[in-house]
Amino acid sequence: MAKSSSRITLKDIARDVGVSTTTVSRVLAGKARKYRICDQTAKKVLSSAKKHNFKPNLSARALKLRKTYTIGVVVSDITNPFFASIAQSIELEARKQDYAIVLCDSGEDIFTEIECVELLRNRDVDGLIVSPVGEESNHLENICKEKLPLVLLDRYFPDLTIPYVACDSYTASQEAVSYLIKCGHHKIACIQGRVETISNKNRIAGYKKALRSNGIKLNNNFIIGDDFGEASGYLSMKLLLNQSPAPTAVLALSNPISLGALRAIREKDLKIPDDISIIAFDEQLYSKYLATPMTTIEQKNSEMGQVAVQLLIKQIKAKRYSSNKGILLPCNFIQRDSVKILK
Amino acid sequence: MAKSSSRITLKDIARDVGVSTTTVSRVLAGKARKYRICDQTAKKVLSSAKKHNFKPNLSARALKLRKTYTIGVVVSDITNPFFASIAQSIELEARKQDYAIVLCDSGEDIFTEIECVELLRNRDVDGLIVSPVGEESNHLENICKEKLPLVLLDRYFPDLTIPYVACDSYTASQEAVSYLIKCGHHKIACIQGRVETISNKNRIAGYKKALRSNGIKLNNNFIIGDDFGEASGYLSMKLLLNQSPAPTAVLALSNPISLGALRAIREKDLKIPDDISIIAFDEQLYSKYLATPMTTIEQKNSEMGQVAVQLLIKQIKAKRYSSNKGILLPCNFIQRDSVKILK
DNA sequence: CTGAAAGCGCTTACAG
DNA sequence: CTGAAAGCGCTTACAG
């Protein structure tokens, strides 16, 4: 019966069992009960489908149902291990729920991000998970307006009602800086990433809050940097080391930044933590193997990915758009050897 | 004219211009010439499509044409920075050519890999790029038999004719070990990954070749390990350090392995390179910031991804299946401070 | 130079 | 309890 080499279709199964495609479709959709299809028939359909290894043509189904069982994911840089592990957990959770992910990488570029979102929409994904660059949100707001499910990841817009899942950077940053202060540091610098991202804003806010709570005056020269990458961390650290007074401790707002800072510190032949202390956001596999094992702030990457998918699929299945605020997961402070105890 | 909120279709454009959908389809497919469609009409179609921001429904097109403009990618572990950067370049190159990628992560598990390949085939991807776990190749051979384009990445099967792109690990490994020997090392161990992967086999072969060429007898106890992960690197290094004679240098066949080895070395309070020398496969952002900047073998990750996509799309467009052997790109030896010069 | 119509493989409202 | 038929939005062989 099989139509030569091409794939088995509903029709083939119908012919095989001697029943209409309607019935086959219903049985295979698990609606045998609902349509009170005779058990005999249902069983025959099921076994024939199995025997012929029938797989529905998803394009045909998508055309009819307007559901592709696909979710679009745009990360800002998959090369950043932080996003890599999030992507991994997104894919795993999606697969568990029978969704596939089509992945785009915006390379931290807003135009690419907009292009990717557009591209994914044209592919009729059922929903989107995006970790936006942050400079611009119109294209994301439009998605919501059109009731296409969307969940923001890691970076969100506090003034908008787009649902998100992120880690509580504010509290984590505050804790880290408080720890530095408790260790006797007063000249604490902060090497930041993209200033327009909420994660950066929150971390800066936590930093300021900790200073304020401890009666330390903010030195604006101690907030420096404008990108989450290694190069910016390097440059910023070089500038900080040339300031006077120079900081005795720095908080690096991303892991690549901390690596850049390390490079600048090494170039000056300074030692961590003797000459300068450092704490970095993002725990990595290598954090404990660096010249000085690094004190870090760990974000719950795989949880974030998993929760984002669950939130999204809930939206997809809910039909009506829920403007669910957002979810903040706690961070984890990992104390190692990169902070000197001054007092 | 726009049909309420739903998307613009060919029909809408046809109605707008006052022409048949056939004509619209032809113009938009760039076949105006071929069908000698009057310039006037063509222009009107084009401008109407643009005005209404018409985007073809890809599911409909896929149903008719059996082309989804999607390529399935299965990596064995996106969390491994090596694969992350490959994935990034695959996505970028695919996007340039108007393909989207649906990504799966097999987690280095053969059953998951088979499941993912199956899942991607059911989604009618136009082709597949996979970095196989390597234990098994039937599911991949089947793909080829059915003329579905496939390119293997990083790991391939030398006895099969499935096209691949990988780096020349054999030569790189041989060079690295020759370098160690030139530095005066004779007791050189090798911490390997999954023994059934070709990359591992090639690296081991290169290692043996270098020893042989230099008249050094192979000590089988010096080849150890069975997984590319950090844990295996750690355990293997511990075992090596307890052997007698212990090696004076080790070649780590992956970056995570080298981190594991570092952990074991640190636990024993040994110093690199004074007490033990090490060279690792895979250059990473952090390689130069480790306690001792690491001498590494860099693979051309983004080139691999890019070439893989190009090879695949060539196959897709060629129709007839070309059993193109495979492409090996050269590696890059990066000399730093993790090797002691003995003589 | 252009169009009517069939068909890709599904799902489902309608009818019995 | 089951089926014929319409339709999702495209493309293209056939006809003029």
Side-chain angles (χ1 to χ4, degrees):
Chain A
M1 56 145 294
K3 278 217 312 280
S4 72
S5 73
S6 77
R7 262 171 53 173
I8 301 292
T9 75
L10 264 195
K11 230 183 190 167
D12 296 320
I13 304 296
R15 202 179 315 138
D16 184 43
V17 181
V19 83
S20 76
T21 57
T22 309
T23 300
V24 176
S25 174
R26 282 173 178 152
V27 171
L28 263 23
K31 294 179 181 168
R33 264 273 130 71
K34 187 175 161 198
Y35 288 98
R36 286 163 299 165
I37 289 167
C38 141
D39 274 7
Q40 275 294 326
T41 318
K43 249 176 226 150
K44 275 195 275 181
V45 168
L46 254 12
S47 83
S48 172
K50 186 164 213 169
K51 188 175 87 196
H52 295 99
N53 190 27
F54 168 75
K55 301 288 177 185
N57 179 317
L58 295 185
S59 298
R61 178 180 280 174
L63 179 58
K64 184 69 189 168
L65 258 32
R66 260 108 242 288
K67 309 244 326 127
T68 54
Y69 293 92
T70 296
I71 87 185
V73 176
V74 12
V75 297
S76 51
D77 180 9
I78 190 75
T79 264
N80 183 334
F82 171 68
F83 287 117
S85 67
I86 288 178
Q88 184 176 54
S89 63
I90 288 179
E91 193 273 325
L92 185 60
E93 183 67 21
R95 179 149 38 89
K96 270 190 199 160
Q97 308 214 30
D98 285 322
Y99 282 76
I101 66 165
V102 9
L103 180 79
C104 287
D105 188 317
S106 70
E108 295 282 12
D109 176 70
I110 183 64
F111 298 108
T112 308
E113 176 181 315
I114 292 171
E115 175 195 337
C116 289
V117 164
E118 178 70 6
L119 172 168
L120 290 168
R121 297 185 54 171
N122 286 339
R123 284 183 172 263
D124 289 313
V125 296
D126 293 344
L128 282 162
I129 295 179
V130 6
S131 62
V133 171
E135 278 168 43
E136 168 65 50
S137 61
N138 276 333
H139 57 303
L140 300 170
E141 292 179 79
N142 286 338
I143 293 177
C144 291
K145 269 188 205 132
E146 298 169 28
K147 313 294 185 206
L148 178 60
L150 167 67
V151 171
L152 263 27
L153 197 63
D154 178 48
R155 303 173 184 175
Y156 56 97
F157 301 94
D159 300 335
L160 306 181
T161 56
I162 311 178
Y164 60 84
V165 23
C167 281
D168 184 1
S169 293
Y170 172 79
T171 306
S173 178
Q174 189 188 345
E175 278 175 13
V177 175
S178 299
Y179 169 78
L180 287 172
I181 296 170
K182 213 168 297 159
C183 290
H185 294 274
H186 285 78
K187 288 174 288 184
I188 301 171
C190 190
I191 308 184
Q192 63 185 349
R194 297 185 73 98
V195 295
E196 60 280 343
T197 62
I198 188 68
S199 9
N200 199 77
K201 284 180 185 160
N202 283 340
R203 290 166 196 185
I204 292 290
Y207 163 81
K208 289 181 176 169
K209 177 63 162 53
L211 294 184
R212 212 178 316 120
S213 307
N214 288 278
I216 297 177
K217 199 163 153 278
L218 174 65
N219 174 348
N220 276 316
N221 293 328
F222 278 177
I223 299 181
I224 194 169
D226 58 6
D227 185 282
F228 285 112
E230 195 267 344
S232 175
Y234 170 73
L235 188 63
S236 301
M237 192 71 223
K238 269 184 103 76
L239 293 171
L240 283 173
L241 292 174
N242 284 331
Q243 285 186 23
S244 96
T248 62
V250 318
L251 177 66
L253 298 196
S254 84
N255 211 284
I257 286 176
S258 72
L259 294 179
L262 254 42
R263 178 152 64 102
I265 291 168
R266 169 158 309 185
E267 267 186 24
K268 276 257 188 181
D269 265 327
L270 298 177
K271 293 278 177 256
I272 296 173
D274 295 335
D275 302 313
I276 184 140
S277 297
I278 183 165
I279 296 181
F281 262 87
D282 291 357
E283 166 71 5
Q284 297 296 344
L285 196 49
Y286 54 81
S287 300
K288 49 176 161 314
Y289 309 119
L290 292 168
T292 304
M294 180 100 73
T295 295
T296 63
I297 295 159
E298 180 182 39
Q299 303 193 67
K300 304 283 179 57
N301 305 1
S302 23
E303 275 176 68
M304 281 175 63
Q306 198 182 348
V307 170
V309 172
Q310 288 167 352
L311 229 59
L312 188 74
I313 292 184
K314 217 167 96 181
Q315 268 190 60
I316 291 175
K317 295 200 166 149
K319 293 285 178 194
R320 44 166 199 83
Y321 186 75
S322 67
S323 75
N324 207 316
K325 265 305 287 178
I327 293 181
L328 278 188
L329 302 173
C331 292
N332 196 17
F333 188 65
I334 302 180
Q335 200 172 319
R336 295 206 182 88
D337 312 329
S338 60
V339 175
K340 185 180 189 182
I341 297 180
L342 288 183
K343 57 183 175 189
Chain B
M1 56 143 299
K3 280 220 307 291
S4 73
S5 73
S6 77
R7 264 172 52 173
I8 301 293
T9 74
L10 264 195
K11 228 181 187 169
D12 296 320
I13 304 296
R15 202 181 313 140
D16 185 42
V17 180
V19 82
S20 75
T21 56
T22 308
T23 300
V24 176
S25 173
R26 284 174 177 153
V27 171
L28 263 24
K31 296 181 182 167
R33 266 272 130 72
K34 185 174 161 197
Y35 288 97
R36 286 163 300 166
I37 290 166
C38 139
D39 273 7
Q40 274 293 325
T41 318
K43 250 177 223 151
K44 276 196 274 183
V45 168
L46 253 12
S47 85
S48 172
K50 186 164 214 171
K51 189 175 88 196
H52 295 98
N53 191 28
F54 168 75
K55 301 289 176 185
N57 180 317
L58 295 186
S59 298
R61 178 180 282 175
L63 178 57
K64 185 68 189 167
L65 259 32
R66 258 113 242 288
K67 308 241 331 124
T68 54
Y69 293 92
T70 296
I71 87 186
V73 175
V74 10
V75 298
S76 51
D77 180 9
I78 191 75
T79 264
N80 183 335
F82 170 68
F83 287 117
S85 67
I86 289 179
Q88 185 177 56
S89 64
I90 288 179
E91 193 273 324
L92 184 61
E93 182 66 21
R95 178 149 40 88
K96 271 191 198 157
Q97 309 214 28
D98 285 321
Y99 281 76
I101 66 165
V102 9
L103 180 79
C104 287
D105 188 316
S106 69
E108 295 282 14
D109 176 71
I110 183 64
F111 298 108
T112 308
E113 177 182 312
I114 292 171
E115 175 195 336
C116 289
V117 164
E118 176 70 8
L119 173 168
L120 290 168
R121 298 186 53 173
N122 287 338
R123 286 184 170 261
D124 289 314
V125 295
D126 293 344
L128 283 163
I129 295 179
V130 4
S131 63
V133 170
E135 279 169 42
E136 169 63 52
S137 61
N138 276 334
H139 57 304
L140 300 170
E141 293 179 78
N142 286 338
I143 292 176
C144 291
K145 270 188 207 135
E146 297 170 28
K147 313 292 185 208
L148 179 60
L150 166 67
V151 171
L152 263 26
L153 196 62
D154 179 48
R155 303 174 184 174
Y156 57 96
F157 301 94
D159 300 336
L160 306 180
T161 55
I162 311 177
Y164 60 84
V165 22
C167 282
D168 184 2
S169 293
Y170 173 78
T171 306
S173 178
Q174 189 189 344
E175 277 175 12
V177 175
S178 299
Y179 170 78
L180 287 172
I181 295 170
K182 212 168 297 161
C183 289
H185 293 274
H186 285 76
K187 285 173 288 185
I188 302 171
C190 189
I191 309 184
Q192 64 184 350
R194 298 186 71 100
V195 294
E196 60 281 344
T197 62
I198 187 69
S199 10
N200 199 79
K201 284 179 187 162
N202 284 339
R203 290 167 197 183
I204 292 291
Y207 162 80
K208 288 181 176 170
K209 177 66 163 53
L211 295 185
R212 212 178 317 123
S213 306
N214 288 277
I216 296 178
K217 197 162 155 280
L218 174 66
N219 174 348
N220 276 315
N221 292 328
F222 278 176
I223 300 181
I224 192 168
D226 58 6
D227 186 281
F228 285 112
E230 195 267 343
S232 173
Y234 170 73
L235 188 63
S236 302
M237 192 71 223
K238 269 182 101 76
L239 292 171
L240 283 174
L241 293 174
N242 284 331
Q243 287 187 21
S244 98
T248 62
V250 318
L251 176 67
L253 298 196
S254 86
N255 212 286
I257 286 175
S258 73
L259 293 178
L262 254 44
R263 179 153 63 101
I265 292 168
R266 170 157 307 184
E267 267 186 25
K268 275 256 187 182
D269 264 327
L270 299 176
K271 294 277 177 256
I272 296 173
D274 295 335
D275 301 313
I276 184 140
S277 297
I278 183 165
I279 296 181
F281 263 88
D282 290 357
E283 166 71 5
Q284 298 295 345
L285 197 47
Y286 54 79
S287 300
K288 49 175 162 311
Y289 307 120
L290 293 167
T292 303
M294 179 101 72
T295 295
T296 64
I297 295 159
E298 181 182 38
Q299 302 191 68
K300 303 284 178 53
N301 305 1
S302 22
E303 275 177 67
M304 280 174 63
Q306 199 181 347
V307 171
V309 171
Q310 290 167 351
L311 229 59
L312 188 74
I313 292 184
K314 217 167 93 184
Q315 267 189 60
I316 292 174
K317 295 198 167 154
K319 291 288 177 191
R320 46 165 197 80
Y321 185 76
S322 68
S323 74
N324 207 315
K325 263 306 285 180
I327 293 180
L328 278 189
L329 303 172
C331 293
N332 196 16
F333 188 64
I334 302 180
Q335 199 172 319
R336 294 208 184 86
D337 312 330
S338 61
V339 174
K340 185 179 186 181
I341 298 179
L342 288 184
K343 57 182 175 190

